[in-house]
Amino acid sequence: MEIDLKMNKKAILRAYEEKDFSKIHDLNKEEGWTNLVENQLNTKEAWKNSNVSYVVETEGEGVVGYVRGFTDTRISLFICELLIDKKYRGFGLGKEILFFLHNLYPNTRIELLANSSSRSFYEELGYRTFYGYRKSNQEF
């Protein structure tokens, strides 16, 4: 899928290929996602085993963002990670990725975890906060 950016630039959202992993690893480092970085081999295996795995690529820059997750295609779509290079935030790439996935799996509800900095982004798009709770360990 082609995405129009500002200044007559274009980006392409396409399926993940194994050759993309080194750039994904670099993006994780830049974002400070140390768990994904320190567990590089497991992270790479996670990409191989995810049925939702797409990258955003621009001409000249290569991969500038990605989304990885899982779906049963009917009820749930869980997004494990959604990351856009800091230089490309504000261009609407994250929003386009979410709309693409929702159109690809229209019957699913999208579930994701957000941190304090990404929460406002998701809320602006109409996502709502869910607070789960656990009463005690005895219930398990």
Side-chain angles (χ1 to χ4, degrees):
M1 178 179 101
E2 195 170 277
I3 304 167
D4 289 321
L5 301 175
K6 299 172 186 170
M7 298 184 196
N8 295 328
K9 287 189 172 190
K10 295 193 183 294
I12 295 175
L13 178 62
R14 62 167 175 79
Y16 164 79
E17 299 172 10
E18 193 170 341
K19 67 179 175 111
D20 301 322
F21 186 76
S22 64
K23 183 60 179 177
I24 288 167
H25 186 69
D26 291 342
L27 287 170
N28 290 338
K29 281 183 193 175
E30 291 169 21
E31 191 64 22
W33 288 358
T34 54
N35 188 43
L36 297 176
V37 173
E38 290 171 1
N39 296 295
Q40 180 178 0
L41 295 177
N42 286 335
T43 302
K44 189 172 186 177
E45 283 298 310
W47 274 89
K48 287 181 186 178
N49 293 305
S50 298
N51 66 352
V52 174
S53 52
Y54 294 90
V55 296
V56 176
E57 184 175 55
T58 62
E59 193 174 322
E61 293 273 335
V63 174
V64 297
Y66 70 80
V67 63
R68 185 184 74 80
F70 301 95
T71 186
D72 56 24
T73 74
R74 297 293 180 258
I75 296 172
S76 298
L77 166 60
F78 181 75
I79 295 176
C80 301
E81 295 105 31
L82 171 63
L83 181 59
I84 304 297
D85 187 313
K86 291 176 183 170
K87 295 179 288 195
Y88 284 88
R89 292 180 190 168
F91 287 90
L93 293 174
K95 179 176 152 181
E96 289 293 332
I97 290 171
L98 292 172
F99 288 162
F100 170 80
L101 292 175
H102 195 107
N103 287 328
L104 195 59
Y105 306 107
N107 296 320
T108 61
R109 66 177 179 252
I110 296 177
E111 301 174 28
L112 50 88
L113 298 175
N115 61 25
S116 57
S117 62
S118 63
R119 181 178 172 177
S120 61
F121 165 75
Y122 294 114
E123 287 175 341
E124 286 174 16
L125 296 177
Y127 290 85
R128 65 176 195 249
T129 302
F130 171 78
Y131 295 100
Y133 68 94
R134 183 174 83 189
K135 289 184 180 177
S136 74
N137 288 338
Q138 294 175 350
E139 291 182 18
F140 294 100

